[in-house]
Amino acid sequence: MAQNSRPSETENTPTTGRNSSLTRRNYVRSIAAVATAATTLGVAGTATGQTDYELIEAENQTITIGSGETWENKLIDMTTGQDIIVTAHGEDWTVRNVGFAGENTSGTGSATFGISDSGGSSTIENVYLGDGSDERNGSSSGHGQTAFWVDPDHAGHIDFQNVNIQGFADNAIYASAPGNAGGGTIHIDRCFAANCYVSHFRLATAGSKVTNSSVYINEEGYQGRGIWAWAPGTIEVDNCQLEMNGQNVAIDAGANGNPTEVVVTDTDYDEQAGVGENDGSTVQLGDDVGTDPSAFIPDGTPTSAEEAAAGDAN
């Protein structure tokens, strides 16, 4: 769809107490558990918790959300081998309690979500995209499937809360396009992204921030940047854990000859992956920034598609 088109690339130790009680062993178990999600979809309209959800089979359809609308409690069956695109534009819309079960296998190299807010404040919360995309959408050079694409015309504000994204080939949250266009802001809070390529959280506009979130890389391939800040910035990073295991760059600032600024507080990043300051950019590391990261899945963030659809993580 046109609204989802994207420019080329050139445009067993506990975690820290301040983040979560989740141990590394439990974390690995939670990642492995998502592989069984596709075989435990349940019956449409029912859930393991108190909230009902609707089962939707992916069949190359587009779902459109407009101003003031709420789209919630959906379990998307991706095991059909087909695609599904969700577009949300306008003002003050909400996407809540949505889980995608199974890999995206369509090979379209598009975006699962194409979103913008034209002047209000919209919300994406409790969404699971942890099963990623298969090899047809996951080349090591990127340019495959994106989880969330923020349109250049985005002029309002979008909050991402408790979103779990793993295994996407072309950015987890690709939100840099409004930087020199619509100028809208993004706040990524209590979110988790792992094993994506190009970047995990990609922002550009002043007032945009990543807080209380984690990036984790533990697999070969898809070694995307942890946080990529484009112009004009300034981008804020607070209370995050960027466990890159030496892959790519933990915090990368600047692109396409344009500088930006990143202000980092109360965060740990992988020193081997390091910090990149390109095109005259600066990354300001506060006194409370360390180099011993321990990735965590924030409390309230779903670890399976069914959990997201039912709202059980809330």
Side-chain angles (χ1 to χ4, degrees), residues 212-269:
N212 309 308
S213 299
S214 269
V215 172
Y216 184 57
I217 293 178
N218 71 330
E219 294 181 4
E220 293 296 325
Y222 314 135
Q223 299 99 337
R225 301 161 179 84
I227 296 172
W228 195 4
W230 282 52
T234 299
I235 306 302
E236 301 174 36
V237 178
D238 179 66
N239 193 30
C240 293
Q241 297 291 302
L242 309 176
E243 189 173 356
M244 310 292 292
N245 285 309
Q247 303 296 332
N248 212 310
V249 182
I251 302 171
D252 206 9
N256 285 5
N258 297 310
T260 191
E261 183 177 23
V262 184
V263 177
V264 187
T265 55
D266 196 21
T267 290
D268 286 282
Y269 70 95

Side-chain angles (χ1 to χ4, degrees), residues 1-73:
M1 302 299 292
Q3 56 264 57
N4 284 346
S5 61
R6 302 187 309 277
S8 70
E9 184 55 37
T10 59
E11 163 231 41
N12 299 341
T13 7
T15 61
T16 54
R18 69 186 180 207
N19 294 318
S20 170
S21 60
L22 189 71
T23 65
R24 176 54 45 76
R25 178 171 295 178
N26 287 339
Y27 163 76
V28 173
R29 185 180 299 121
S30 73
I31 298 302
V34 303
T36 65
T39 61
T40 58
L41 293 178
V43 179
T46 62
T48 56
Q50 298 300 310
T51 304
D52 290 344
Y53 58 73
E54 176 187 5
L55 176 62
I56 300 174
E57 294 185 350
E59 49 187 25
N60 294 325
Q61 70 270 51
T62 297
I63 293 172
T64 302
I65 302 161
S67 294
E69 294 184 348
T70 296
W71 193 64
E72 61 185 342
N73 300 110

Side-chain angles (χ1 to χ4, degrees), residues 59-136:
E59 49 187 25
N60 294 325
Q61 70 270 51
T62 297
I63 293 172
T64 302
I65 302 161
S67 294
E69 294 184 348
T70 296
W71 193 64
E72 61 185 342
N73 300 110
K74 311 295 183 184
L75 179 63
I76 313 300
D77 179 9
M78 299 300 296
T79 66
T80 61
Q82 305 300 310
D83 202 0
I84 186 169
I85 294 173
V86 182
T87 68
H89 300 289
E91 297 183 0
D92 305 322
W93 48 262
T94 299
V95 172
R96 177 191 299 124
N97 301 341
V98 179
F100 291 74
E103 294 180 331
N104 185 301
T105 61
S106 67
T108 60
S110 181
T112 301
F113 284 86
I115 60 175
S116 68
D117 186 290
S118 57
S121 183
S122 296
T123 301
I124 296 172
E125 60 181 344
N126 199 49
V127 175
Y128 177 83
L129 279 161
D131 292 355
S133 54
D134 77 350
E135 63 276 4
R136 286 172 290 182

Side-chain angles (χ1 to χ4, degrees), residues 112 129 132-133 145-147 165-171 195-197 222:
T112 301
L129 279 161
S133 54
Q145 192 78 2
T146 293
I165 307 168
Q166 300 176 45
F168 278 79
D170 193 349
N171 300 272
N195 298 317
C196 295
Y197 194 76
Y222 314 135

